Amino acid sequence: TQAVNQLESILSEAVRLQSLADVQLGAFLSGGVDSSTIVALMQQQAKEVGQASIKTFTIGFNESGFDEAPYARAVANHLGTEHHEMCVTSDMAQAVIPLLPHMYDEPFADSSQIPTHLVCKAARQEVTVALSGDAGDELFGGYNRYFWGPRIWNRLSWLPFPARKVLGECVSAVPVEVWNALSTLVKGNKSGGVNQTGAKLHKIGQIFKTSKGMSDLYLSLLSEWQDPGDLVISDGVKLLGQPDTLMQDPLPTLGLNDQALEMMYRDSMMYLTDDILCKVDRAAMACSLETRVPFLDHRVVELAWQLPLNMKIRNNQGKWALKQVLYKHVPRELIERPKAGFAIPIGQWLRGPLREWANGLLDETKLTQEGYLKPAPILQAWKEHLTGRIDHTPKLWAVLMFQSWLEVNR
């Protein structure tokens, strides 16, 4: 209780300080734990000083399975914010794609960059500064990989690496379609969408084949193309092996006594900075919106790293301490649901309205002439994706963002 109260106090102060502005200020609200916590504290402070309700912003989609707007609306209604909701059509989202190479000025391939820019655009019509809930996952153990990554490793690490490699080869040797068919036979494909069983098992097979330690497993979980050497033309020079990244930096000698903590540290140093913060900052500044991140107040970060792991992850669920703060302001039933990213149906669009655009960028002759990427694995993934049996969206999006950036900057 003392730790939860301290977290609420320090986070409230961070929100208060970052809410100081001479211009109109609001917040993003997805209806998830992180953004709802920030908004709840902002709204409480506004009430205490007699200010008007804060402005909150979310976007929704018509495609089923991608629309989180109802969750955000429920939280906003409970807290009494001045809520703004924009329904995004596929045409609106697709119109952002040609802007991405200019907006990011580098190949940047997190497809949630599109809805991020759209929610920033919507917010900018009302406010000049917006607070976000970014960094909550990395600080308080929110990503699924923190639970099942160590579970996978603890179950397979007893096997010698050569045996794991053979097991991985066996899993990978069974075609994705066969795994999908077996999955459907056993439990039925009740998802209503693409059956991902085969693709997931192939990814696990790849992990078995390549992971000699927890660091390898972590890199596998984060990588879409498992081996850069399979994709990038090296002109005879030994390609990377794996690129030199912070993964090669030694871990701190104190404080990282658990595999989940190691992943949270790596994410804080790499994924948060190079993906999440980069994505939001450029998507926002492209429409002159300033964003602020209360979770990254140094006092919040320091406290988060002082909390024991069992105050973050309990019963295979993350952000325990943060949820205790949130549930003082928002009923549990409005928040509890499976974790979802800020996603759009890019995979569906690549098979439909974006197919011609993608075909042009993935043209075999073009790829060959450019001389950066090997056409064969890319075209194989594209062909499999178009059948609808396998969803290769993240793999293909990485290539498409590189290709579109190259077109603009050659």
Side-chain angles (χ1 to χ4, degrees):
T1 304
Q2 184 181 352
V4 170
N5 290 340
Q6 188 180 3
L7 174 59
E8 182 174 21
S9 172
I10 289 176
L11 190 53
S12 294
E13 178 64 5
V15 167
R16 186 189 70 79
L17 290 172
Q18 295 200 16
S19 296
L20 299 174
D22 296 328
V23 293
Q24 282 282 339
L25 178 137
F28 302 129
L29 180 61
S30 69
V33 173
D34 304 332
S35 64
S36 297
T37 303
I38 299 301
V39 166
L41 296 175
M42 288 177 74
Q43 181 70 345
Q44 181 189 48
Q45 291 172 14
K47 281 181 180 176
E48 285 172 355
V49 297
Q51 289 179 348
S53 294
I54 65 162
K55 298 183 178 186
T56 51
F57 302 91
T58 192
I59 58 173
F61 294 92
N62 293 325
E63 282 86 353
S64 62
F66 293 91
D67 188 16
E68 289 203 295
Y71 305 118
R73 193 183 313 132
V75 172
N77 288 342
H78 176 80
L79 293 173
T81 70
E82 183 187 319
H83 193 54
H84 299 260
E85 188 178 300
M86 173 201 271
C87 186
V88 174
T89 65
S90 59
D91 286 345
M92 290 165 66
Q94 290 159 35
V96 175
I97 292 173
L99 308 177
L100 295 176
H102 306 279
M103 197 182 298
Y104 285 85
D105 203 31
E106 64 179 332
F108 184 87
D110 181 338
S111 62
S112 65
Q113 62 202 124
I114 297 171
T116 300
H117 177 62
L118 289 168
V119 76
C120 289
K121 205 172 176 183
R124 185 62 185 88
Q125 293 172 10
E126 298 283 335
V127 299
T128 311
V129 177
L131 271 59
S132 84
D134 292 323
D137 285 308
E138 291 82 1
L139 291 175
F140 296 98
Y143 293 128
N144 291 332
R145 55 179 167 268
Y146 302 150
F147 330 134
W148 67 268
R151 285 220 310 264
I152 288 177
W153 182 246
N154 291 333
R155 286 177 183 178
L156 66 86
S157 59
W158 64 272
L159 272 174
F161 178 64
R164 290 202 303 271
K165 194 169 181 180
V166 170
L167 181 60
E169 296 285 2
C170 293
V171 172
S172 301
V174 179
V176 168
E177 292 85 350
V178 175
W179 284 123
N180 286 346
L182 288 170
S183 164
T184 304
L185 193 65
V186 171
K187 61 179 181 179
N189 183 20
K190 299 173 183 174
S191 65
V194 178
N195 188 343
Q196 291 290 314
T197 303
K200 287 176 180 175
L201 283 170
H202 269 224
K203 183 149 189 171
I204 290 172
Q206 184 69 28
I207 289 170
F208 284 3
K209 287 190 289 183
T210 58
S211 297
K212 294 181 180 178
M214 194 62 203
S215 292
D216 292 337
L217 174 61
Y218 171 77
L219 195 57
S220 249
L221 292 173
L222 259 64
S223 301
E224 300 305 337
W225 293 92
Q226 291 293 318
D227 182 359
D230 290 342
L231 188 67
V232 179
I233 295 170
S234 62
D235 289 333
V237 178
K238 183 181 183 302
L239 178 74
L240 309 177
Q242 283 292 357
D244 284 334
T245 68
L246 287 170
M247 283 300 297
Q248 276 73 50
D249 283 4
L251 290 164
T253 53
L254 291 175
L256 296 186
N257 54 358
D258 185 277
Q259 294 162 340
L261 283 173
E262 286 184 21
M263 287 192 279
M264 289 164 63
Y265 171 79
R266 297 286 193 197
D267 278 344
S268 298
M269 298 300 289
M270 291 189 295
Y271 182 63
L272 175 64
T273 53
D274 297 344
D275 186 320
I276 304 298
L277 298 179
C278 173
K279 173 187 70 181
V280 175
D281 183 63
R282 297 188 195 181
M285 291 313 295
C287 50
S288 301
L289 178 74
E290 178 189 338
T291 52
R292 299 177 183 176
V293 188
F295 281 122
L296 288 181
D297 181 291
H298 69 93
R299 287 154 292 212
V300 177
V301 175
E302 287 164 3
L303 176 61
W305 277 100
Q306 288 167 3
L307 293 175
L309 188 61
N310 69 359
M311 291 198 69
K312 299 177 183 182
I313 297 173
R314 287 193 186 184
N315 303 319
N316 289 323
Q317 289 192 328
K319 297 192 273 202
W320 181 85
L322 196 58
K323 287 176 181 175
Q324 306 318 300
V325 173
L326 175 59
Y327 295 154
K328 293 182 182 182
H329 305 271
V330 178
R332 183 185 299 256
E333 56 269 21
L334 292 186
I335 300 295
E336 286 197 341
R337 63 182 188 276
K339 181 172 175 57
F342 196 20
I344 54 174
I346 285 278
Q348 296 172 25
W349 296 345
L350 288 175
R351 297 185 191 97
L354 294 179
R355 183 170 179 165
E356 191 176 334
W357 168 76
N359 264 331
L361 291 173
L362 302 180
D363 177 72
E364 183 172 6
T365 305
K366 180 195 280 274
L367 289 166
T368 303
Q369 287 175 347
E370 289 164 350
Y372 294 104
L373 304 175
K374 299 174 185 176
I378 295 168
L379 296 175
Q380 178 66 24
W382 181 224
K383 181 180 175 183
E384 290 173 354
H385 185 82
L386 289 176
T387 66
R389 291 194 298 270
I390 307 176
D391 187 351
H392 283 310
T393 303
K395 276 186 173 183
L396 293 168
W397 191 250
V399 175
L400 289 166
M401 285 296 94
F402 175 76
Q403 289 294 99
S404 60
W405 172 84
L406 191 61
E407 246 188 13
V408 168
N409 290 283
R410 63 176 60 184

